[in-house]
Amino acid sequence: MIEYIVIDDESNPRELLIYTIRSLGLPFRLVGEGKSLLEGIDLIKSLRPKVVFLDIQMPVHNGLNIRNFLSEEDFNFKLIFVTAYDQYTIQAIRLSAFDYLLKPIELNELTDCLNRVLKEKNSNEKAYQQLASIEQKNVLVIKSHGGTHFLKVEAIVFIAADGMYSHFQLVDKELLSSKPLKAYEGLHEKLFRCHRSYIINIDYVLKIEGQNVILKGGVEVPISRQNKSRLIEVLKVNS
């Protein structure tokens, strides 16, 4: 059985999550409930759960501050953020959570999340180091239908809008994210929104021709008129 705890200051969402997990009949066992981040920290240290479901918006201490209270040795669990506020999604991505769930939690999303925990239960995750790397803005955490991916910014050539999804063109492969393009705007100084449908890595820019940006490899990406002058200034600063 995989032992887990739930940290949420509101009893109804906490109990509903526990009930839903139990109803799925998967090998998960609740070992503790916390009503605040500090209560949760005590549970993590004493019970050593394998999975922690953590609410973000809580009184006194925001759930996003969890790393401030734990040592690297304490971070031996999969962290799953739970929030009713979509604006925290980007911060959760930056914090390298194993997953994040938006309230009200959809059954299929929770089921997918738990099945991924089971699939990767023996993986040796370096969560604490990943948190540190992402806080230094060297790594982005991207959620796709295939799981969560840790991408070095230097490996991203461009990101293109694909309906409500985002297509990542990497140096050696492609990746389809389950989030829209706007979710990745402003995440890193090297990633520049040149067009409503494109974000480019400025390190791959060769030149600007008319209303197109030519990237290494010969890829042409459109650039809006209003962003053209901004990109020129950004390239000057980074040259």
Side-chain angles (χ1 to χ4, degrees):
M1 298 290 284
I2 295 178
E3 297 181 340
Y4 73 95
I5 66 172
V6 178
I7 307 170
D8 193 325
D9 63 302
E10 296 184 88
S11 60
N12 288 342
R14 191 173 66 245
E15 292 170 4
L16 179 59
L17 175 59
I18 294 167
Y19 172 81
T20 307
I21 292 174
R22 188 176 294 127
S23 70
L24 292 172
L26 296 172
F28 287 82
R29 182 166 71 91
L30 177 72
V31 293
E33 300 178 49
K35 302 181 186 68
S36 69
L37 180 60
L38 294 185
E39 277 190 25
I41 295 299
D42 289 339
L43 292 173
I44 289 170
K45 291 181 177 180
S46 62
L47 300 175
R48 299 291 177 179
K50 295 301 181 183
V51 178
V52 173
F53 291 91
L54 175 62
D55 186 29
I56 292 180
Q57 186 72 3
M58 293 188 291
V60 186
H61 293 291
N62 187 297
L64 293 171
N65 296 322
I66 184 172
R67 185 172 174 267
N68 297 335
F69 298 93
L70 295 173
S71 68
E72 185 172 355
E73 290 72 26
D74 293 324
F75 242 98
N76 188 28
F77 56 86
K78 289 179 170 60
L79 176 62
I80 300 170
F81 282 119
V82 182
T83 178
Y85 301 91
D86 196 29
Q87 67 263 33
Y88 290 113
T89 299
I90 297 303
Q91 289 176 278
I93 289 173
R94 284 175 170 164
L95 277 173
S96 182
F98 177 81
D99 208 342
Y100 55 88
L101 301 168
L102 290 176
K103 299 177 184 177
I105 298 173
E106 294 186 10
L107 183 61
N108 62 331
E109 291 227 350
L110 176 60
T111 304
D112 288 345
C113 174
L114 296 178
N115 282 328
R116 287 204 303 109
V117 171
L118 292 172
K119 183 179 178 181
E120 303 177 30
K121 64 181 179 181
N122 295 319
S123 64
N124 184 23
E125 293 187 312
K126 301 293 184 182
Y128 193 88
Q129 293 91 332
Q130 288 168 350
L131 283 165
S133 295
I134 290 158
E135 287 169 358
Q136 295 167 10
K137 299 184 178 181
N138 296 322
V139 176
L140 298 185
V141 182
I142 308 303
K143 185 177 180 182
S144 74
H145 292 301
T148 303
H149 307 264
F150 297 88
L151 303 181
K152 292 183 178 180
V153 172
E154 64 193 40
I156 302 171
V157 181
F158 67 83
I159 314 169
D162 189 353
M164 291 305 294
Y165 299 91
S166 297
H167 171 88
F168 277 73
Q169 181 60 58
L170 308 178
V171 172
D172 57 349
K173 62 181 178 180
E174 299 178 0
L175 177 69
L176 186 66
S177 164
S178 55
K179 291 293 180 180
L181 191 65
K182 66 180 181 179
Y184 303 110
E185 185 174 3
L187 281 184
H188 194 278
E189 60 185 8
K190 294 290 185 179
L191 299 178
F192 182 86
R193 182 76 177 262
C194 65
H195 186 270
R196 60 186 174 85
S197 299
Y198 287 92
I199 293 174
I200 59 173
N201 187 332
I202 62 173
D203 285 344
Y204 287 90
V205 174
L206 287 178
K207 57 183 176 179
I208 301 174
E209 288 186 348
Q211 293 308 124
N212 290 300
V213 180
I214 313 301
L215 304 177
K216 293 177 183 177
V219 177
E220 293 188 16
V221 173
I223 183 168
S224 64
R225 296 183 186 279
Q226 63 186 33
N227 288 328
K228 184 176 178 179
S229 58
R230 286 183 52 235
L231 178 58
I232 292 172
E233 291 302 315
V234 169
L235 292 173
K236 285 180 181 178
V237 171
N238 288 269
S239 61

